Amino acid sequence: MGEVRREEPPVAGRVGGWPVLEGEWRSSLDRSAYLAGVDEVRRRIAAGTVYQVNLCRVLEHDLPADASVTALGDVLARGNPAPYAATIDLPEAGLEVACASPESFLVRRGEVLTSSPIKGTATTPAAMLPKDYAENVMIVDLVRNDLAHVSRPGTVEVDALCRLEEHPGLVHLVSDVTGRLRPRTTWRDVLAATFPPGSVSGAPKHTALMAIADLEPVPRGPYCGAVGWVDADRDEAVLAVGIRTFWAARSDAGRRVLRFGTGAGITWGSSAEQEWDETELKAARLVALATGRRPGSARL
């Protein structure tokens, strides 16, 4: 950006309304394909090549040419407030993103770097399973290792482990991991050590990414990336994990489409049916809002 101005967020409703999207959403992995993908991940875990993979699918809906993601960002801000909400509306640069992320990837304040991975999702705290806690602990170990590559020895700490965090329609398990950066550490060093976020890849990260490449039939786009800002002069940053994220794109046929990603962390203790249900739970409220209907009424 050639120029940056710090201003108050725009008032919701200033832009034109978001259209009602008629019809059903298409999924890059249908139910049977997703269940088969979960079974394949469990086979790889049994073979010892990986122990957690975040398996995702991308939903898609045709989008009118004049629909603005800024209007969609307003809809999400009113219907699903999120701590890391963001709208990037730069069609000339191919960036049209409306994000309602609840997850912090990296927050930097001077030499202190913090990552707060989310793993474990349920409708209520009582519905959390032992598998959800195990899933979180695995990724915390991965994040500790990532931060250790750029932190002073002995400074990486887990400040909170598996704390409960409530969001509209669901609850998450969240952990906080911090480290103190080594002198002269650059942003290139930080991102090389930590990207992509462990919560949306898996562990070990290398073999998890191989499984994702094998099992997911379409690119994730900005979904599961990083959304936020970096102030290199002040050594400050807030980068969210790009989940609960919509983006406008073009289909292979050239039609304008709206896409939304949803996924779940697969471990040995996973039930394929329950993991599919988790992807539905994560998508249901936001897809309903984007469709222009009350949460719970949209068809996935």
Side-chain angles (χ1 to χ4, degrees):
M1 305 297 177
E3 179 183 352
V4 177
R5 294 190 304 274
R6 295 176 181 269
E7 299 177 348
E8 290 299 315
V11 176
R14 281 186 181 173
V15 298
W18 179 252
V20 172
L21 303 181
E22 302 289 351
E24 297 185 359
W25 292 68
R26 302 175 290 273
S27 177
S28 61
L29 290 170
D30 62 17
R31 184 174 177 278
S32 61
Y34 193 87
L35 299 186
V38 173
D39 289 341
E40 172 58 23
V41 170
R42 294 185 75 252
R43 279 192 287 272
R44 295 185 186 210
I45 294 171
T49 61
V50 71
Y51 50 89
Q52 183 174 165
V53 175
N54 198 61
L55 184 62
C56 300
R57 58 192 178 102
V58 175
L59 307 178
E60 181 181 278
H61 200 292
D62 291 339
L63 186 64
D66 59 351
S68 164
V69 296
T70 298
L72 177 56
D74 285 350
V75 169
L76 299 181
R78 291 194 300 269
N80 195 96
Y84 302 102
T87 301
I88 305 171
D89 195 357
L90 298 170
E92 65 275 14
L95 290 171
E96 297 179 83
V97 178
C99 177
S101 176
E103 182 174 3
S104 168
F105 170 38
L106 294 173
V107 173
R108 181 175 180 179
R109 296 287 183 263
E111 67 172 7
V112 178
L113 193 64
T114 303
S115 184
S116 300
I118 288 176
K119 294 310 293 181
T121 300
T123 53
T124 66
M128 286 289 179
L129 301 172
K131 176 260 178 189
D132 293 304
Y133 288 88
E135 187 182 339
N136 190 292
V137 171
M138 288 179 193
I139 297 304
V140 165
D141 194 43
L142 173 66
V143 172
R144 289 174 61 244
N145 181 70
D146 285 352
L147 293 189
H149 288 299
V150 289
S151 297
R152 297 177 184 178
T155 67
V156 176
E157 297 181 352
V158 179
D159 299 319
L161 183 64
C162 294
R163 59 183 173 83
L164 283 163
E165 200 170 87
E166 296 191 17
H167 295 274
L170 45 73
V171 294
H172 289 306
L173 295 177
V174 185
S175 296
D176 302 312
V177 186
T178 61
R180 293 188 174 273
L181 292 171
R182 296 173 183 170
R184 297 178 295 280
T185 298
T186 66
W187 270 105
R188 183 183 296 273
D189 297 331
V190 170
L191 293 175
T194 61
F195 193 83
S199 63
V200 289
S201 52
K205 191 178 286 186
H206 175 68
T207 50
L209 291 173
M210 291 174 60
I212 288 167
D214 291 342
L215 299 174
E216 294 184 16
V218 300
R220 291 184 179 183
Y223 172 59
C224 292
V227 180
W229 55 270
V230 172
D231 188 329
D233 295 326
R234 301 186 185 189
D235 287 336
E236 294 183 354
V238 176
L239 294 172
V241 180
I243 57 173
R244 317 294 194 270
T245 296
F246 294 91
W247 69 100
R250 293 282 174 183
S251 70
D252 292 340
R255 299 191 312 274
R256 190 171 189 238
V257 294
L258 184 68
R259 291 178 175 150
F260 179 87
T262 182
I266 313 305
T267 67
W268 176 250
S270 289
S271 155
E273 296 278 357
Q274 289 176 345
E275 301 297 354
W276 170 264
D277 290 343
E278 182 173 320
T279 70
E280 294 271 287
L281 173 64
K282 290 174 176 175
R285 182 181 183 89
L286 290 164
V287 166
L289 291 168
T291 305
R293 297 184 174 87
R294 294 188 310 277
S297 63
R299 299 183 300 278
L300 302 188

